[in-house]
């Protein structure tokens, strides 16, 4: 098995988790009510934890490939530039209002839930262990976010309008979740990873069910924006990294 | 938005603050009027549920999820009960004298005035 493929695949999973965790954490202290502020921050920390496990594994692979690299979870998170990030574009989009943040989390949690179900059976023991542990967290994320999509979609006139707007805003970024990149196909062939295209039916079904209960329209499948998995990002990622990486880049190796 | 969430302790909930049934309450524009719920957590099998605090939620389902997020983040429990605060009826602190002080000089109510046979274990 090509080590570079495992590395790319793992980094992709880690970047997804890290970038959306960073985005969600922007709500910390600004949530609409205290309980939901804590709920979203919990989710953020769960995802950050997943990202850490994945970065640690990715770092060990990179160091095996090149002993001089001395990669760590921190160098991978803090010292790579936007072009090297492999997260889907959906993760890096601005938070918008609370409804849009909820909806993005919902799209992603449904995807992660289906992904980790299969990744549990990966022939790579580390990835399967991470998937098994993370699945418990993601099960709750999916439950929490679908509850809120339903509450807001089928809520007041204003909350419904905001949710429907959020759907239109985010929809063209959902296709990338289940559009495989080269390293995903290769990882799937080796039974290390999962071909995300195989998750599409299950993902769409959950979305359709929840949207129906939430009285939201599922947009007709149109053109989908991709590129993030190959490192071609929106302008937003640069700003996220500027904030997230500032400390380590300005004061290298600083600790507290 | 400034939201002040007051935490009341068991038996100490002022009647006008018991959440729920907002009838007759003044609603400030923009304020959160979700009902208040009391949360009880059981830390492990065999123990009883203990009151841990309160939170706001629109219904029981949300109250349980909020309780999960707010009160079980550090492995505090394995079971959650929630009850809307308005359904808890509390004794009046003004009654404390009549309610509790008469017990002060009734030491004979404690089961300590007999000798325990050595054969009796686990007492």
């Amino acid at each position: 098995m090509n080590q570079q493929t495992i590395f790319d695949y793992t980094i992709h999973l880690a970047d997804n988790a890290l970038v959306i965790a960073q985005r969600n954490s922007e709500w910390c202290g600004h949530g609409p009510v205290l309980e939901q502020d804590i709920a979203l921050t919990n989710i953020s920390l769960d995802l950050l934890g997943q990202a850490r496990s994945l970065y640690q594994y990715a770092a060990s692979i990179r160091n095996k490939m090149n002993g001089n690299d001395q990669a760590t979870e921190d160098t991978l998170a803090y010292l790579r530039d936007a072009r090297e990030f492999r997260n889907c574009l959906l993760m890096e989009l601005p938070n918008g209002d609370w409804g849009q943040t909820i909806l993005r989390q919902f799209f992603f949690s449904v995807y992660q839930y289906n992904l980790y179900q299969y990744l549990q059976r990966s022939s790579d023991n580390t990835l399967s262990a991470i998937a098994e542990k993370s699945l418990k967290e993601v099960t709750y994320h999916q439950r929490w976010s679908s509850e809120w999509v339903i509450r807001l979609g089928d809520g007041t006139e204003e909350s419904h309008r905001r949710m429907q707007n959020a759907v239109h805003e985010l929809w063209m970024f959902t296709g990338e979740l289940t559009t495989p990149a080269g390293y995903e196909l290769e990882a799937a062939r080796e039974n290390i990873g999962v071909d995300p295209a195989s998750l599409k039916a299950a993902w769409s079904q959950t979305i359709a069910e929840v949207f129906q209960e939430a009285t939201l329209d599922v947009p007709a499948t149109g053109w989908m924006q991709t590129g993030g998995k190959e490192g071609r990002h929106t302008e937003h990622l640069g700003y996220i990294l500027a904030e997230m990486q500032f400390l380590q880049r300005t004061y290298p190796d600083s600790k507290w | 938005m400034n939201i002040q969430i007051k935490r009341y302790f068991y038996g100490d909930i002022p009647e006008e603050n018991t959440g729920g049934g907002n009838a007759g309450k003044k609603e400030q524009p923009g304020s959160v009027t979700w009902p208040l719920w009391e949360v009880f957590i059981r830390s492990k099998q065999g123990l009883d549920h203990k009151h841990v605090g309160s939170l706001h939620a629109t219904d029981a389902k949300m109250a349980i999820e909020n309780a999960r997020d707010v009160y079980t983040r550090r492995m505090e429990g394995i079971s959650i009960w929630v009850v809307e605060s308005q359904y808890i009826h509390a004794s009046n602190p003004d009654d404390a004298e009549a309610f509790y002080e008469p017990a002060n000089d009734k030491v004979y109510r404690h089961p300590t005035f007999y000798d325990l046979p050595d054969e009796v274990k686990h007492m």
Side-chain angles (χ1 to χ4, degrees):
Chain A
M1 180 67 201
N2 183 350
Q3 294 289 305
Q4 185 65 40
T5 302
I6 310 183
F7 177 80
D8 288 342
Y9 186 68
T10 307
I11 274 287
H12 156 67
L13 297 176
D15 288 345
N16 267 351
L18 177 68
V19 173
I20 196 169
Q22 177 73 15
R23 268 297 189 215
N24 285 344
S25 74
E26 291 171 19
W27 276 104
C28 186
H30 302 276
V33 292
L34 177 129
E35 289 84 352
Q36 298 312 322
D37 190 303
I38 294 176
L40 190 62
T41 309
N42 282 348
I43 289 176
S44 218
L45 286 171
D46 285 349
L47 291 167
L48 189 67
Q50 294 173 19
R52 284 193 61 189
S53 304
L54 291 162
Y55 282 133
Q56 284 164 9
Y57 183 46
S60 76
I61 297 168
R62 176 165 272 186
N63 293 338
K64 241 190 295 179
M65 289 191 293
N66 180 357
N68 296 329
D69 245 6
Q70 301 190 323
T72 66
E73 53 178 319
D74 286 334
T75 65
L76 292 175
Y78 292 131
L79 301 179
R80 283 178 308 141
D81 276 330
R83 203 68 175 74
E84 296 167 81
F85 272 73
R86 294 283 178 269
N87 59 285
C88 297
L89 301 174
L90 182 67
M91 311 311 149
E92 67 203 44
L93 298 178
N95 285 335
D97 57 17
W98 179 250
Q100 192 172 321
T101 300
I102 293 285
L103 186 69
R104 178 182 57 200
Q105 188 60 48
F106 171 63
F107 284 150
F108 182 56
S109 293
V110 176
Y111 166 74
Q112 264 199 324
Y113 180 77
N114 287 294
L115 171 70
Y116 285 154
Q117 298 255 346
Y118 285 97
L119 200 60
Q120 281 187 109
R121 287 172 238 148
S122 166
S123 63
D124 184 302
N125 291 335
T126 309
L127 287 181
S128 78
I130 294 172
E132 192 186 340
K133 176 171 183 287
S134 307
L135 186 59
K136 295 184 191 120
E137 298 168 344
V138 172
T139 303
Y140 186 79
H141 303 171
Q142 179 176 269
R143 174 185 163 138
W144 177 86
S145 58
S146 37
E147 283 278 316
W148 273 99
V149 168
I150 293 166
R151 276 180 198 284
L152 295 173
D154 191 19
T156 65
E157 199 180 315
E158 183 186 1
S159 71
H160 176 82
R161 176 173 51 75
R162 283 172 179 261
M163 281 314 280
Q164 194 65 63
N165 285 347
V167 173
H168 291 306
E169 192 73 28
L170 299 183
W171 189 252
M172 76 165 168
F173 296 97
T174 58
E176 189 183 19
L177 291 171
T178 50
T179 306
Y183 50 82
E184 285 180 297
L185 289 175
E186 209 177 312
R189 266 199 298 278
E190 302 283 341
N191 200 26
I192 301 276
V194 182
D195 178 358
S198 67
L199 308 173
K200 187 166 183 170
W203 184 87
S204 304
Q205 198 192 335
T206 306
I207 302 301
E209 283 167 9
V210 171
F211 273 23
Q212 192 185 12
E213 210 177 323
T215 71
L216 295 168
D217 297 326
V218 182
T221 307
W223 181 78
M224 292 290 178
Q225 179 71 57
T226 56
K229 285 180 178 180
E230 269 92 25
R232 296 189 306 278
H233 290 279
T234 66
E235 70 273 27
H236 305 297
L237 184 63
Y239 291 98
I240 296 175
L241 297 186
E243 185 171 276
M244 188 179 78
Q245 299 182 334
F246 164 78
L247 200 78
Q248 276 304 314
R249 289 196 185 268
T250 312
Y251 305 98
D253 299 326
S254 63
K255 293 192 191 331
W256 72 84
Chain B
M1 195 194 295
N2 290 316
I3 301 161
Q4 199 181 10
I5 293 182
K6 286 187 184 150
R7 181 170 160 174
Y8 296 107
F9 292 94
Y10 191 49
D12 202 20
I13 306 161
E15 204 62 36
E16 67 275 17
N17 281 325
T18 49
N22 289 315
K25 264 199 208 170
K26 259 194 282 177
E27 283 188 20
Q28 287 165 351
S31 73
V32 172
T33 54
W34 294 357
L36 189 67
W37 298 71
E38 300 302 317
V39 181
F40 302 81
I41 304 274
R42 184 168 69 189
S43 55
K44 58 180 179 186
Q45 290 292 354
L47 295 185
D48 48 2
H49 286 73
K50 284 226 159 51
H51 185 242
V52 294
S54 56
L55 49 74
H56 288 88
T58 56
D59 56 34
K61 196 172 180 185
M62 191 197 282
I64 287 178
E65 289 188 3
N66 286 354
R68 181 266 188 197
D69 285 322
V70 178
Y71 290 113
T72 66
R73 309 173 70 221
R74 302 179 184 91
M75 305 200 308
E76 289 93 338
I78 54 159
S79 170
I80 298 171
W81 285 354
V82 293
V83 61
E84 244 189 285
S85 309
Q86 62 167 333
Y87 295 118
I88 291 182
H89 301 274
S91 62
N92 189 336
D94 295 343
D95 293 335
E97 232 171 84
F99 267 40
Y100 313 114
E101 280 187 21
N104 277 352
D105 57 354
K106 313 287 195 302
V107 284
Y108 50 83
R109 288 178 183 167
H110 293 274
T112 51
F113 293 93
Y114 50 88
D115 295 323
L116 213 56
D118 291 340
E119 291 76 23
V120 179
K121 301 258 190 295
H122 308 301
M123 288 292 285

